[in-house]
Amino acid sequence: MLMSALIGFGACGVAQCQQAPPTDTAPAAATSTTPAAAPVQKLVLKEGSDVQLKFAQDVTSKTATEGDTVNLVLDQDLKLGDVVVAKAGAKAVGTISHSKKAGMMGRAGELNMRLEYLLLEDGRLKLRGSKGREGEGKEGAAVALTVLFGPIGLIKHGKNVEIKQGTPLTVYTDENYTVPTAK
């Protein structure tokens, strides 16, 4: 009996020895796939990156009021290396923060806009930058007309700010954006 127990133990030991190498290679195979996945890095669009937009509508200081929404579109694909973060034509949104019509005595119109975000497939990308302009003033002309023609010269009007549809605008990202990996 002792002999058969030793033979059984020895056979079991041999079986374990023969099975041990396959179990040692299985974890090695698992660890070899882990390093292959490790080189996949997250792509991050850095805060402050340029974004090329264009106005999707006409905007003028004559009709715009504070709080109005301004529609813009992405002028060209927004890329990070070879990866497209947003396709040309993606919608962006701004808000009128200040608007003043042109006035008498040659006072120019004023128009300021605050950028909000660019719509992406999986959410929004905050934007920053401001587009502020003043219309052409006619103060010098108004003063000259007042001197030459009296109070009738005060009727001279300044120009309103007018931004035509398609006008380009360079803005910047206002946050780091991690590009989602393909699923």
Side-chain angles (χ1 to χ4, degrees), residues 78 85-86 90-91 118-125 177:
L78 179 59
V85 177
K91 294 182 185 212
L118 174 67
L119 286 173
L120 303 174
E121 288 182 17
D122 65 330
R124 296 177 174 181
L125 174 62
Y177 174 73

Side-chain angles (χ1 to χ4, degrees), residues 43-53 74 76-81 83 85-86 115 118 120 125-129 169-179:
L43 294 175
V44 177
L45 183 64
K46 298 289 184 184
E47 182 256 336
S49 299
D50 288 5
V51 178
Q52 303 299 320
L53 299 176
L74 189 60
Q76 50 193 276
D77 288 348
L78 179 59
K79 292 184 175 184
L80 184 57
V83 176
V85 177
L115 291 157
L118 174 67
L120 303 174
L125 174 62
K126 290 182 185 176
L127 299 174
R128 74 167 183 245
L169 177 66
T170 300
V171 300
Y172 308 96
T173 57
D174 197 29
E175 63 186 352
N176 285 340
Y177 174 73
T178 303
V179 180

